[in-house]
Amino acid sequence: MEKILKDIRHQLKLNSDKKIKDSVGRFFKEKVKVYGLKTSFVRKIDKEYFKTVRALGKDKIFKLCEELWRSGYMEESFIACNWSYYLHNDYEEKDIKIFERWLANYVSNWASCDTLCNHTIGAFVEKYPKFLVNLKNWAKSENRWMRRAAAVTLIVPAKRGKFLNEIFAISDILLRDEDDLVQKGYGWVLKAASQAHEKQVFDYVLKNKSAMPRTALRYAIEKMSKEHKAKAMQK
């Protein structure tokens, strides 16, 4: 397994681009650790090496993912997220402990947070909805990434009309959050939910707009009709 990690890191270093590395910082408020690669190239590497590691089985692959997370490099976190998602058909209930550990200990920027949550953890809670309660607990965390994760984990299910009550419950907890990345996170999941439940989400926004930060509100109504947008933006 050490050879696989060594080979992946060699490929990442070999193909790094200083211009990309220098430009990444403008997308993040926090300092990020990157090699400097296009996302498409990282995906190419992760797919190529997954063919090799697939035979190892889920538990060993998750250990490799943990080592990728430990590096702190964003590109390695993306590979870890993609590999763990490729195994979504093999998920077991016990895996929630692993995903929570990655989230709590290693996620340090919105890109790694969203990649892990939109795919890996989102697929997990769709398979095991009883763990939606964990998301409500994350929404109360002091860790900004866990609070954002509480919302963005449900983006994909929300687009399919799922978990509306849970989305509203999580948004209630995050409603007055002062962190703009958390505001954008719950605004985003409300926007996704509006694609299947526009009237219900509009009613929720209207009921809470006096408390909802403008950032969250604008995200939430982005996909709504012009009429609903206008009413939501009225003072």
Side-chain angles (χ1 to χ4, degrees), residues 151 171 182-192 215-217 219-221:
S171 297
V182 177
Q183 295 169 14
K184 290 175 181 178
Y186 88 80
W188 183 15
V189 78
L190 288 170
K191 174 174 69 176
T215 298
L217 188 148
Y219 266 69
I221 66 174

Side-chain angles (χ1 to χ4, degrees), residues 58-59 62 90-101 124 128 130-131:
K58 177 170 66 71
D59 291 345
F62 278 3
D90 300 332
Y91 289 167
E92 303 168 81
E93 291 189 10
K94 67 178 183 178
D95 295 332
I96 187 61
K97 293 181 180 179
I98 295 171
F99 301 150
E100 286 187 328
R101 183 171 70 247
F124 178 86
Y128 299 112
K130 74 177 189 178
F131 290 101

Side-chain angles (χ1 to χ4, degrees), residues 18-175:
K18 189 176 185 302
K19 288 183 180 179
I20 295 175
K21 185 175 182 179
D22 292 343
S23 69
V24 167
R26 71 176 186 266
F27 297 105
F28 301 88
K29 292 183 179 180
E30 59 282 338
K31 187 176 180 180
V32 291
K33 187 177 176 182
V34 297
Y35 290 98
L37 292 160
K38 290 182 178 180
T39 303
S40 58
F41 189 82
V42 178
R43 289 296 301 272
K44 181 181 177 182
I45 290 176
D46 91 55
K47 287 180 178 178
E48 178 184 339
Y49 281 92
F50 188 73
K51 294 174 184 176
T52 301
V53 303
R54 184 67 182 93
L56 295 175
K58 177 170 66 71
D59 291 345
K60 288 185 178 179
I61 293 172
F62 278 3
K63 286 181 181 178
L64 282 169
C65 291
E66 184 108 18
E67 291 306 312
L68 290 164
W69 276 111
R70 283 182 193 276
S71 75
Y73 279 97
M74 188 185 299
E75 292 93 342
E76 292 193 35
S77 80
F78 290 166
I79 294 172
C81 292
N82 291 334
W83 281 6
S84 58
Y85 176 66
Y86 296 156
L87 296 167
H88 64 270
N89 289 327
D90 300 332
Y91 289 167
E92 303 168 81
E93 291 189 10
K94 67 178 183 178
D95 295 332
I96 187 61
K97 293 181 180 179
I98 295 171
F99 301 150
E100 286 187 328
R101 183 171 70 247
W102 294 350
L103 180 59
N105 295 339
Y106 305 126
V107 169
S108 59
N109 60 77
W110 61 260
S112 295
C113 179
D114 296 356
T115 306
L116 175 63
C117 295
N118 285 180
H119 305 294
T120 299
I121 305 180
F124 178 86
V125 297
E126 280 201 84
K127 186 171 184 178
Y128 299 112
K130 74 177 189 178
F131 290 101
L132 287 164
V133 67
N134 292 53
L135 274 58
K136 294 175 185 176
N137 291 331
W138 300 352
K140 301 170 187 174
S141 172
E142 292 184 4
N143 183 327
R144 71 189 302 199
W145 305 119
M146 294 197 78
R147 299 201 308 279
R148 181 177 172 97
V152 300
T153 289
L154 298 180
I155 297 293
V156 175
K159 291 178 181 178
R160 296 198 281 262
K162 294 184 175 182
F163 307 139
L164 185 63
N165 290 336
E166 288 78 10
I167 289 167
F168 287 156
I170 289 166
S171 297
D172 282 346
I173 298 169
L174 300 175
L175 194 64

